[in-house]
Amino acid sequence: MSKCAAAKPYVLPESLAELGGPTAGGVTLPRHIGWGPHYVYDLADEADFRLMYERVIREAQTRDGLNAYLHATSLRQVWHDLFLPLPVRAAWETRFPDLRESSTATAAAQWTSCTAN
């Protein structure tokens, strides 16, 4: 038996453009993605929005699952705020370098505005 745990496979979309999920309202994830207690994510609430994106990215088993719940523009806006395992973040940023670049640019802008004061 190997002492190394098998890496969890993560699903990635073919392109960010195919991500056309909801951007408003309440969303209840299917049991295979949101396996905890029944919960309605209020997409107007920033914490709910980020939590739903984190769960979908970590738990979706198909591209259809990603496409149904993630939205490309919204993903770019919150990418740097998502709490994701390093392997999944690396996989997404390798396939979509603009996520890494937007994350770096946003972090740099925030740091610059904090140090300017």
Side-chain angles (χ1 to χ4, degrees), residues 40-60:
V40 177
Y41 296 88
D42 177 2
L43 298 185
D45 180 276
E46 188 177 340
D48 268 12
F49 190 88
R50 286 193 318 254
L51 182 59
M52 186 187 89
Y53 270 52
E54 291 165 359
R55 290 209 171 126
V56 170
I57 290 168
R58 286 192 318 255
E59 303 298 334

Side-chain angles (χ1 to χ4, degrees), residues 56-103:
V56 170
I57 290 168
R58 286 192 318 255
E59 303 298 334
Q61 299 168 1
T62 66
R63 287 188 176 123
D64 288 342
L66 296 174
N67 300 346
Y69 298 104
L70 302 178
H71 188 272
T73 302
S74 299
L75 178 64
R76 285 184 183 97
Q77 290 171 346
V78 299
W79 180 254
H80 66 281
D81 292 325
L82 298 178
F83 183 71
L84 298 168
L86 290 177
V88 74
R89 184 174 292 279
W92 278 73
E93 289 180 353
T94 297
R95 179 163 294 171
F96 309 110
D98 62 313
L99 288 176
R100 179 178 48 245
E101 293 162 8
S102 69
S103 178

Side-chain angles (χ1 to χ4, degrees), residues 11-12 19 21 23 25 27-29 36 57 61 64-65 73 90 102 109 111:
V11 165
L12 282 83
L19 302 177
T23 59
V27 175
T28 301
L29 296 174
I57 290 168
Q61 299 168 1
D64 288 342
T73 302
S102 69
W111 183 82

